[in-house]
Amino acid sequence: MIGFDYGTSNCAVGVMENNTPKLLSLGDHGRFISSTLYAPSRDVIVNWLQKRLSLNEQKNFQQQRQWQLQKGQNSLRELTLDGYPTELSFGQQALNNYLQEPDEGYYIKSPKSFLGASGLLPQQMELFEDIVAAMMSNVKSLTEAALGRSVSQTVIGRPINFQGLRGEESNQQAIKLLTNAAKRVGFKDVEFQFEPVAAGFEYEASLTEETKVLVVDIGGGTTDCSMLLMGPKQAVLADRTRDLLSHSGERVGGNDFDIAFALKGIMPSFGLNSLLKTGKPMPSNSFWQAMAINNINHQTEFYSSANGRFLEQLIRDAEQPDLLTRLLTVQQQKLSYRVVNAAEQTKIALTEQTEQQIDLSDIDNGLTVDLDRNGFAMACKRELNAIAVLMKDAISQANCQPDVVFVTGGTAKSPVLNQFLQQQFQDTPIVIGDHFGSVTAGLTRWAKTIYS
């Protein structure tokens, strides 16, 4: 049995050793593998996956994906004839392959962000299920190699609310996709646990008395808050329903911080906030769409031929056409992920430094952008305020004040966020957990509880 954090930003796996959760090293990726996938062609994902399924599952899969498998086989022949690799890559290697040739192949980051999206066509649902299954198959293989045995039972983390506009319907759609993918690649027993609750379970192991804990999990795609009654007496219970005093969650997470930072910190160098020759402000819609890597519809619109023609017209109408030419380069060479990744890496660097220079000379010769911690705070005001609302909502629902606030998630490392949290809870202790490992550890503890 394993705890499996299929995260928006990273994936991690835990097992129990000597009654303590241990995060496994997943081959060359280490304990955390970025939630990314790169394929030389989108059509070959389904073929890669089929080869890694059990014989029984291969037969079912072939019946369900007959047309896609044939299309993928044709793409594989073309790739082989042209001398291109045909394998999928994951984690950092996937990002490296994308950055080498952004306009070639198929790259996706954080597919979990799309699972609750509304308006998905059946073929899109199948594609996302195959992408998730491929990533899970890779993680499962790495896990079994590390353990030297097969695994068939898992608890997978889930946010309070997946990213979607249809509330519980979006949640059920995402859970169905995750369950189908997990069972397809060989997990016989699949259960889910709320990610903030799992993080709380790990913190609970350190408590010696009953405590009201507000868990704030700022993940890559969502922020989730849970008010939990915790302590030694509660920790041994298999049914924790009475201890879960409240939940709140929304689509605001690390990705949104990165996108906001890219938009407000980097996009002015691409023409945002500039003027047209008429003196009117530059239309901003294409800048939003360019950076919205977690929104299928926005990205589809940005990369459309019609938008390419629109940007060419904007260049002719712009007071500073050189800036808009950079945005057209992003559109033509599919560089949205490249720009947002630059913002993300700067966000990480600003944890230790107060300012950072980004080199974007691959987009325009000599282009650099200077960013600093204050600019990050200004860019992310909306996201910070949304997190404050979620925390207040969880406290209001529980009808009690927390004894302690336990914070986890990669974005929690930011000094900007730490300062913000201190302002919100001036008289309540704030405990910062393992930024990336708390959820995985808690899922692992819960796996032992329900499967033992």
Side-chain angles (χ1 to χ4, degrees), residues 22-124:
K22 174 189 174 184
L23 269 64
L24 294 179
S25 181
L26 301 173
D28 295 336
H29 303 282
R31 296 192 305 160
F32 304 100
I33 174 172
S34 297
S35 299
T36 55
L37 175 151
Y38 178 86
S41 165
R42 186 177 71 176
D43 294 332
V44 306
I45 296 172
V46 65
N47 304 78
W48 183 96
L49 178 59
Q50 188 202 28
K51 290 191 296 184
R52 284 154 181 81
L53 302 178
S54 67
L55 290 178
N56 285 338
E57 189 57 43
Q58 280 187 17
K59 294 177 183 178
N60 296 331
F61 193 64
Q62 188 161 4
Q63 291 177 347
Q64 296 171 7
R65 300 285 197 273
Q66 187 173 6
W67 178 78
Q68 292 94 326
L69 285 165
Q70 183 58 52
K71 189 177 180 183
Q73 200 60 47
N74 294 336
S75 293
L76 284 170
R77 279 195 291 269
E78 291 179 13
L79 289 166
T80 302
L81 286 172
D82 293 338
Y84 287 106
T86 59
E87 287 294 304
L88 271 57
S89 55
F90 304 88
Q92 185 61 43
Q93 188 58 51
L95 176 61
N96 293 343
N97 289 341
Y98 160 74
L99 291 176
Q100 284 177 7
E101 294 184 278
D103 54 346
E104 299 291 337
Y106 178 78
Y107 175 77
I108 186 166
K109 175 183 178 181
S110 310
K112 185 178 175 183
S113 299
F114 304 112
L115 301 185
S118 57
L120 293 181
L121 300 174
Q123 57 265 38
Q124 290 176 306

Side-chain angles (χ1 to χ4, degrees), residues 250-264:
E250 187 184 322
R251 174 184 167 166
V252 54
N255 284 354
D256 298 282
F257 281 84
D258 302 336
I259 290 167
F261 199 20
L263 184 68
K264 295 172 185 175

Side-chain angles (χ1 to χ4, degrees), residues 383-416:
E383 287 70 24
L384 292 170
N385 289 334
I387 291 172
V389 170
L390 289 173
M391 294 188 298
K392 291 174 183 176
D393 186 30
I395 293 170
S396 176
Q397 287 182 45
N399 199 27
C400 63
Q401 292 295 317
D403 298 317
V404 63
V405 178
F406 179 71
V407 186
T408 187
T411 305
K413 295 178 72 174
S414 169
V416 170

